[in-house]
Amino acid sequence: MKIGLFIPCYIDQFYPQVGIASLQLLEKMGCKVFFPLDQTCCGQPMANSGFAHLTETCNTLFIDHFKDVDYIVCPSGSCTLHIKEHLIDDGRPALADRVRHQVFELSEFFTDILKVEKLDAFFPYKVGFHSSCHGQRGLGVSSMSERMLPYFSKPESLLQKVKGIQLSTPNRSDECCGFGGTFCVFEEAVSVKMGKDRVMEHEANDVDYITAVDMSCLMHLEGILKRKGSKIKTIHLAEILNSK
Amino acid sequence: MGTVEHAKAAGRFIADEPRTNWHDETLWFVRQKRDHAASLLNGWEELRERASQIKNHVLSNLDQYLIQFEKNAIANGAIIHWAADAEEHNQIVHGIIKNAGVTRLVKSKSMLTEECHLNHFLSGQGIEVVDTDLGERIVQFRKEPPSHIVLPAIHLKKQDVSETFHEHLHTEKGNNDPNYLTGAARQHLRNEFIQSKVAITGVNFAVAETGGIVVCTNEGNADMGVHAAKIHIACMGIEKIIPKAGDLSVFLRLLARSATGQPITTYSSHFHRPDKEKQLHIVIVDNGRTQQLGRPDFRNSLKCIRCGACFNTCPVYRRSGGHSYHNAVAGPIGSILAPNIDMRKNADLPFASTLCGSCSNVCPVKIDIHDQLWKWRQILVKEGHVAMGKKIMMQSMAFLLSRPKLYRFAGKWGRKIMQSVPILVSNKLNPWYKQREMPEPPKQSFNEWYKQNKK
Amino acid sequence: MNSREKILKDIVANKPVLTELTDWVAPKSIQSTTLVGDFEKLLVSLHSKVNHLSSKNDLLKEVDELRAQYPFVIDTIHAEGEPRKNIQQLDARSLESLDVAIIEGRLGVAENGAIWLTETNMLNRLLPFICKHLVLVIDAENIVADMHEAYKKIRIDEDGYGVFISGPSKTADIEQSLVIGAHGPLTLTVYIISNHS
């Protein structure tokens, strides 16, 4: 099974440790991982801002880089969702369609494809789980509070396999953090207020870390936590699953 | 009249943080009541699916259902009017009122008449409309539009209402008791009901099979108005049609539970034939709806039953208030309806969302609201309704991200600059930095690490 | 072309391909053994008072008590002949001070506490709204599980007007604080008549 590792641009530039943890985890689970060095961005920042027409080259590059793997795995629900929903290539529609179906967010890849049952991970901290919207409501990595359907959570089921961890859920279990791509700057006031409210609920649970399947939510929450001088840190799910 | 963009208006709203918190928590509580009510019902998701199917079916056969409705309503003794747009709607309503020879009338809640700015129009004709829904009466006294389609005065605190009532109804100054204030409104509006010859209502559902209309309220104001008056004018958008009486069961089960968490509204009134010596006028309005029907990506927004659930769940709405949407229908649904009518004026609304998707999940008729927000963004940009700064930013970003080498080069130097001259990004001109720290740039990107360690 | 024709023409031009609507059976909501109990529970939770009577005859005693208590009571259930006609003719002004209206409900719905009544029952459309206290009487036999069953049993256009009522009028428009008694009745009392209670 050949895995293409898709590392979103902002993780590449600002959070390399998330890429490293993802790679190491996949390798530990026996996957042959291939990292296309020329990858840049899925195009989501432009598309979500109304500029999907500017993502043509991003789409072409993405398909070129990942067309020869069995699965594409990405430590971001949001970027995964973008590829799944919006990757198009007028010249190669069938190929684009195949790629769209091959892309997986990391936690769903672990639970659905690798069917991970045991993890050799140790993380002796109190961790608040932030449910990232695009992973949850977009990809369906967990049940949603609005829907009257049975409860499940792929990322939380993985976290529960980590030794020493104490998981907590905020009062509003799946409210958006307010990042929202360029929303975070063009709707700065609402974005920050939403983030502050998320942080407050995790503070009430007295957590050491906030984790999520999306680093973008965490980048936003981290910015607010740091400005506040909070002792709470943010950490990507892959880093916890890769902790010893 | 200049429109203040959502982001700016939201900023002003949030400046009063305690009030924002109250607004957020109060509406979140309504969302929780909705969750609870939905959870008690066996087969909630199936019911949503059925409602969605009925509405899809209606939209695909709307002309026939409207004709059927009209035929049956006329046979029932109703008088049917058709209005292509807001102006014609207002003219028709005015004509009926003028004929009746009155200058004052009562109106229960109708988002359509808000959309058409009927009150404003009639007031220009010397006719005073008295809104009888308590929340609407409050905002009417204050000369404000409703901020929520189900809870029109949700942006106000009881102190605000008390001041308004003191001014207009001469209630005791400083008496903020909701019971007392509601009692005063009851007295005041009773007189209006008893004196009014004309009553306007909205329409929740129009049944093609029977030619009747259904109106839902908790206060009983629609019924008080209609039954006391001689003339009932019911205003409805063309999309209010449902095929059969039996379909009402699906919608009445969903409507109040979605809206407020009640199992049903206190009153679900079915009007078929006018009372003896009275008149029932039904005004059927297009006002952009057929145009929306012609937009395949957006037509299913016409399935909306105006429950307001998407408002209550929306984390942006809860923290920015209804007025920041500068449209009769605010919130997520308003943000996909408004650009159809006026793209330029409402170009900001589809961007007033993080695309979190909660709106689509609570929608009782399964409108893909957040997907439509995304699609409107594409159209608005293509039609040129975008700030130049944003356009340049996106073009530069696309340029950079389309060139792997340049991207790596810029990333490397960008991080180096952030490390050595943080003030270049960590300054007040950067909206990110205003209330958030920038991420700390690492020495190596993942790409660089990979090349060094893995290749 | 008038607006009617224009709207219909635009719909035909813009509507999607016809989607058929297949028959559908709603998932069952409530066990039939608990219908009356659920109905009562719902009504109470919706701020109504519920009383049980073992026969319709017992109702007359209740009506007498109400008449002793309030000056202006209209009993539509037992009104016949001239008084019945008079009730039909009363307008809003003459009903303004109505204390109590007593009306028979056709059907009760266990899932939401709603009671269906039509013009035939109320005699005058204003009565259930303009009175201060509304009294509805319902036969336990006529309580159904949910709205799906309800709409199977009623004909919504049988009378010119019909309404589901599920409590006293109410509002929460001021700070979401619930206030009972908005424009309609301040209280709702429901008498459930069942032969085995």
Side-chain angles (χ1 to χ4, degrees):
Chain A
M1 181 156 60
K2 192 172 172 190
I3 310 294
L5 183 62
F6 161 29
I7 297 296
C9 51
Y10 70 98
I11 291 186
D12 176 41
Q13 292 299 327
F14 290 113
Y15 301 98
Q17 71 276 19
V18 176
I20 296 168
S22 305
L23 175 66
Q24 290 177 344
L25 274 168
L26 286 165
E27 286 181 339
K28 262 195 258 181
M29 291 170 194
C31 299
K32 222 179 102 198
V33 184
F34 164 71
F35 176 72
L37 286 164
D38 268 350
Q39 59 180 292
T40 58
C41 167
C42 61
Q44 180 177 215
M46 283 84 78
N48 284 8
S49 304
F51 292 82
H53 59 284
L54 296 181
T55 62
E56 210 175 306
T57 317
C58 286
N59 286 341
T60 309
L61 288 175
F62 193 90
I63 294 175
D64 288 347
H65 296 144
F66 288 104
K67 65 180 187 303
D68 298 320
V69 299
D70 299 311
Y71 293 102
I72 304 157
V73 178
C74 172
S76 158
S78 192
C79 304
T80 303
L81 182 68
H82 176 75
I83 292 296
K84 249 190 184 5
E85 288 190 333
H86 301 299
L87 182 80
I88 43 167
D89 189 327
D90 290 339
R92 301 176 286 180
L95 191 56
D97 185 64
R98 203 192 77 204
V99 170
R100 279 202 303 272
H101 287 89
Q102 281 171 320
V103 65
F104 282 83
E105 180 276 325
L106 189 76
S107 76
E108 61 172 355
F109 185 73
F110 287 161
T111 55
D112 296 3
I113 306 299
L114 296 183
K115 305 201 190 300
V116 170
E117 295 202 340
K118 259 195 356 221
L119 274 168
D120 186 19
F122 180 60
F123 196 71
Y125 299 100
K126 218 170 162 190
V127 176
F129 182 73
H130 171 69
S131 186
S132 300
C133 303
H134 289 172
Q136 185 200 25
R137 297 192 186 85
L139 297 171
V141 302
S142 66
S143 52
M144 308 154 217
S145 63
E146 303 92 0
R147 306 284 303 271
M148 300 302 137
L149 298 168
Y151 171 84
F152 72 94
S153 170
K154 294 172 191 177
E156 283 180 278
S157 76
L158 290 168
L159 287 169
Q160 276 152 3
K161 295 179 175 55
V162 175
K163 284 185 212 75
I165 199 168
Q166 246 186 300
L167 265 183
S168 77
T169 313
N171 190 20
R172 300 183 190 179
S173 63
D174 55 6
E175 179 155 292
C176 177
C177 68
F179 172 69
T182 53
F183 179 88
C184 76
V185 289
F186 290 108
E187 284 268 6
E188 185 266 342
V190 183
S191 171
V192 170
K193 179 64 183 142
M194 286 167 69
K196 278 162 76 176
D197 290 352
R198 294 290 80 226
V199 161
M200 217 171 61
E201 288 193 11
H202 286 288
E203 282 173 338
N205 286 344
D206 197 25
V207 302
D208 303 309
Y209 288 91
I210 301 174
T211 194
V213 300
D214 247 305
M215 206 55 220
S216 50
C217 310
L218 294 175
M219 176 167 75
H220 166 66
L221 295 176
E222 178 191 44
I224 289 166
L225 287 164
K226 279 191 179 165
R227 177 61 60 90
K228 236 185 143 172
S230 169
K231 62 171 185 47
I232 300 175
K233 293 184 281 273
T234 53
I235 187 166
H236 190 274
L237 179 103
E239 295 176 81
I240 297 182
L241 302 186
N242 196 41
S243 295
K244 278 264 188 177
Chain B
M1 198 169 58
T3 307
V4 181
E5 284 201 352
H6 181 273
K8 206 166 173 187
R12 285 181 199 160
F13 187 84
I14 292 173
D16 187 346
E17 196 162 2
R19 189 177 274 239
T20 304
N21 289 340
W22 180 84
H23 191 262
D24 166 57
E25 281 156 21
T26 306
L27 288 162
W28 178 255
F29 184 58
V30 181
R31 153 80 208 270
Q32 286 179 306
K33 286 197 286 187
R34 171 261 174 212
D35 291 352
H36 182 66
S39 73
L40 292 178
L41 196 134
N42 184 32
W44 179 259
E45 298 299 333
E46 287 137 283
L47 204 59
R48 286 176 71 221
E49 178 57 31
R50 179 63 180 177
S52 169
Q53 283 171 8
I54 295 171
K55 284 283 186 178
N56 280 332
H57 168 69
V58 167
L59 291 178
S60 76
N61 194 34
L62 188 56
D63 52 321
Q64 293 306 311
Y65 280 129
L66 280 165
I67 292 169
Q68 187 190 5
F69 172 77
E70 181 189 40
K71 187 175 142 253
N72 291 327
I74 290 172
N76 287 338
I79 301 157
I80 304 291
H81 309 262
W82 298 75
D85 53 27
E87 198 194 328
E88 192 177 5
H89 161 266
N90 293 347
Q91 295 287 357
I92 291 168
V93 174
H94 179 232
I96 302 167
I97 299 164
K98 216 169 75 181
N99 259 340
V102 302
T103 55
R104 196 174 171 90
L105 55 95
V106 291
K107 176 163 78 72
S108 68
K109 202 152 67 198
S110 148
M111 288 322 297
L112 176 66
T113 61
E114 283 294 329
E115 173 190 319
C116 296
H117 303 291
L118 177 69
N119 288 11
H120 179 76
F121 173 83
L122 290 178
S123 134
Q125 310 292 322
I127 294 162
E128 192 177 342
V129 178
V130 176
D131 280 323
T132 58
D133 173 84
L134 176 60
E136 287 210 318
R137 190 62 178 147
I138 294 167
V139 296
Q140 187 179 38
F141 277 142
R142 299 171 62 93
K143 299 189 166 41
E144 291 172 359
S147 68
H148 186 296
I149 56 175
V150 174
L151 320 164
I154 195 65
H155 59 291
L156 298 171
K157 303 275 284 179
K158 56 190 177 191
Q159 293 83 344
D160 305 322
V161 178
S162 173
E163 276 167 35
T164 304
F165 278 14
H166 175 66
E167 186 187 330
H168 293 271
L169 301 177
H170 313 295
T171 54
E172 293 163 28
K173 198 171 175 58
N175 191 336
N176 301 338
D177 177 15
N179 273 293
Y180 168 74
L181 296 169
T182 303
R186 178 183 164 99
Q187 274 316 312
H188 153 67
L189 288 166
R190 274 253 150 169
N191 295 332
E192 298 289 350
F193 285 129
I194 285 163
Q195 287 165 20
S196 275
K197 246 178 93 179
V198 177
I200 299 177
T201 71
V203 170
N204 289 94
F205 307 99
V207 185
E209 174 187 55
T210 64
I213 55 170
V214 176
V215 179
C216 305
T217 75
N218 278 322
E219 298 182 6
N221 55 319
D223 288 283
M224 275 297 288
V226 170
H227 304 319
K230 292 278 179 214
I231 298 170
H232 175 190
I233 308 174
C235 305
M236 58 175 269
I238 53 171
E239 81 284 16
K240 292 289 164 191
I241 294 273
I242 58 172
K244 293 187 171 128
D247 299 325
L248 283 168
S249 64
V250 173
F251 292 103
L252 291 190
R253 291 186 93 192
L254 287 165
L255 178 63
R257 287 183 173 97
S258 296
T260 58
Q262 294 169 254
I264 188 169
T265 49
T266 306
Y267 305 105
S268 309
S269 307
H270 301 53
F271 298 90
H272 277 86
R273 292 180 285 283
D275 215 343
K276 298 169 292 292
E277 290 151 38
K278 293 189 177 184
Q279 291 174 22
L280 167 60
H281 294 263
I282 301 172
V283 189
I284 302 172
V285 186
D286 180 347
N287 201 34
R289 285 164 177 76
T290 51
Q291 179 178 267
Q292 187 87 322
L293 189 65
R295 303 180 194 269
D297 283 343
F298 305 110
R299 63 165 58 111
N300 91 23
S301 61
L302 295 171
K303 296 195 295 188
C304 178
I305 57 170
R306 302 288 190 268
C307 71
C310 62
F311 289 56
N312 306 336
T313 202
C314 179
V316 177
Y317 173 83
R318 275 187 267 112
R319 291 174 182 83
S320 56
H323 292 157
S324 63
Y325 292 78
H326 54 76
N327 188 54
V329 180
I333 183 69
S335 301
I336 60 171
L337 292 172
N340 174 54
I341 307 261
D342 187 339
M343 278 198 213
R344 191 191 55 76
K345 181 171 164 269
N346 300 310
D348 54 330
L349 297 184
F351 293 92
S353 162
T354 60
L355 306 179
C356 79
S358 188
C359 46
S360 307
N361 271 349
V362 295
C363 179
V365 290
K366 292 183 133 179
I367 301 171
D368 53 342
I369 303 174
H370 73 292
D371 287 332
Q372 292 190 35
L373 288 166
W374 190 91
K375 287 170 182 163
W376 268 120
R377 293 179 183 189
Q378 312 307 321
I379 290 179
L380 290 164
V381 166
K382 276 197 187 133
E383 299 281 328
H385 303 291
V386 60
M388 190 45 78
K390 193 175 189 174
K391 193 170 168 180
I392 292 169
M393 176 177 163
M394 288 301 144
Q395 285 168 335
S396 327
M397 215 162 160
F399 183 85
L400 183 72
L401 295 169
S402 301
R403 288 161 181 78
K405 275 187 197 140
L406 182 64
Y407 156 77
R408 286 197 295 273
F409 177 81
K412 185 169 185 164
W413 286 98
R415 277 181 285 116
K416 274 201 199 306
I417 292 166
M418 275 176 79
Q419 280 163 344
S420 48
V421 205
I423 188 74
L424 276 181
V425 284
S426 301
N427 64 57
K428 280 189 184 146
L429 292 173
N430 174 359
W432 176 281
Y433 185 72
K434 214 171 136 194
Q435 302 186 69
R436 285 165 292 213
E437 293 299 321
M438 293 296 291
E440 219 164 282
K443 283 201 185 71
Q444 261 185 338
S445 69
F446 176 73
N447 197 298
E448 288 157 15
W449 175 89
Y450 188 86
K451 278 183 197 150
Q452 198 176 68
N453 295 281
K454 284 284 174 181
K455 277 203 84 181
Chain C
M1 186 165 39
N2 65 27
S3 291
R4 179 186 185 275
E5 286 162 22
K6 187 185 179 306
I7 292 169
L8 292 173
K9 192 190 89 185
D10 288 348
I11 292 171
V12 172
N14 290 342
K15 69 177 180 179
V17 180
L18 184 72
T19 55
E20 293 296 339
L21 196 58
T22 50
D23 285 341
W24 179 74
V25 182
K28 265 243 172 291
S29 42
I30 298 171
Q31 294 300 314
S32 58
T33 48
T34 60
L35 281 184
V36 178
D38 283 340
F39 177 66
E40 176 171 353
K41 213 168 70 192
L42 249 301
L43 275 169
V44 171
S45 76
L46 298 169
H47 314 279
S48 304
K49 252 196 322 217
V50 177
N51 291 320
H52 290 271
L53 295 175
S54 53
S55 83
K56 215 168 168 179
N57 289 337
D58 294 352
L59 187 63
L60 281 167
K61 212 180 78 203
E62 304 289 330
V63 174
D64 286 343
E65 272 176 31
L66 287 165
R67 285 197 196 281
Q69 210 180 333
Y70 297 103
F72 191 179
V73 175
I74 292 181
D75 172 10
T76 61
I77 299 175
H78 302 97
E80 277 169 40
E82 202 59 27
R84 195 175 170 90
K85 265 192 205 141
N86 286 340
I87 294 170
Q88 286 166 339
Q89 253 117 61
L90 293 170
D91 66 2
R93 200 168 291 282
S94 40
L95 287 168
E96 200 184 339
S97 59
L98 179 64
D99 292 302
V100 182
I102 303 159
I103 304 170
E104 180 157 13
R106 288 283 180 88
L107 175 128
V109 187
E111 72 157 312
N112 56 21
I115 297 169
W116 173 252
L117 42 150
T118 74
E119 210 166 348
T120 306
N121 308 111
M122 53 187 99
L123 302 184
N124 184 320
R125 295 186 189 187
L126 266 168
L127 288 192
F129 302 97
I130 204 164
C131 62
K132 286 190 195 70
H133 307 283
L134 178 62
V135 175
L136 295 177
V137 182
I138 180 113
D139 194 318
E141 301 277 300
N142 295 332
I143 296 170
V144 299
D146 58 30
M147 293 301 277
H148 305 292
E149 282 190 38
Y151 277 105
K152 272 182 210 144
K153 292 228 164 140
I154 63 174
R155 254 194 55 213
I156 61 168
D157 57 347
E158 183 184 315
D159 274 354
Y161 172 76
V163 60
F164 279 107
I165 296 180
S166 70
S169 77
K170 61 187 179 205
T171 182
D173 273 350
I174 301 175
E175 274 199 11
Q176 276 294 288
S177 323
L178 182 67
V179 178
I180 304 297
H183 300 303
L186 306 167
T187 70
L188 170 66
T189 306
V190 177
Y191 286 98
I192 301 176
I193 299 178
S194 83
N195 292 320
H196 3 264
S197 71

